[in-house]
Amino acid sequence: MTDAGRKDLHEQLGDKLKPDSQKTTTEKMGDTASGLYDRAAGAVQPESQKSTTQQATDKMRGGADDTSNQAKGMGQSLADTVSGAAQSAADAVKNLTGSK
């Protein structure tokens, strides 16, 4: 059982399992808004006032968020590395050709 106003695990899984390519713009916006609300509600509600199910759901979602953020961080690091390498190559070509 989830706490009042919070998304239960079934709803959260449903949102994640349906591919974005099959969602309407309204569904995507709704998922984003309700997800943000649920995260905010979970952050401000003391653990002592959450049901056991809600505590477990928040912890699972938190772990998934951490993993997602780590993946984004690694992707950004890779993009930065590639961008830096491209800039270095462009600078090397300029130096070799005397271009400015």
Side-chain angles (χ1 to χ4, degrees):
M1 179 175 181
T2 58
D3 298 338
R6 303 287 309 278
K7 292 176 93 172
D8 65 22
L9 183 58
H10 183 263
E11 287 178 283
Q12 290 182 28
L13 287 174
D15 291 348
K16 296 290 182 192
L17 291 176
K18 186 174 182 180
D20 282 347
S21 61
Q22 294 179 3
K23 292 179 183 179
T24 65
T25 301
T26 304
E27 285 177 310
K28 290 178 192 176
M29 290 171 48
D31 286 354
T32 300
S34 65
L36 289 172
Y37 171 80
D38 196 63
R39 282 180 178 77
V44 298
Q45 184 180 16
E47 292 292 316
S48 62
Q49 295 179 6
K50 294 180 185 179
S51 66
T52 303
T53 306
Q54 195 65 61
Q55 288 178 9
T57 301
D58 286 352
K59 285 179 183 165
M60 286 190 324
R61 186 191 55 238
D65 289 347
D66 291 344
T67 301
S68 177
N69 289 337
Q70 288 173 359
K72 287 178 185 174
M74 288 187 299
Q76 185 60 49
S77 293
L78 177 61
D80 292 346
T81 300
V82 169
S83 177
Q87 185 61 49
S88 294
D91 292 344
V93 168
K94 286 180 186 177
N95 289 336
L96 290 173
T97 61
S99 301
K100 292 188 180 187

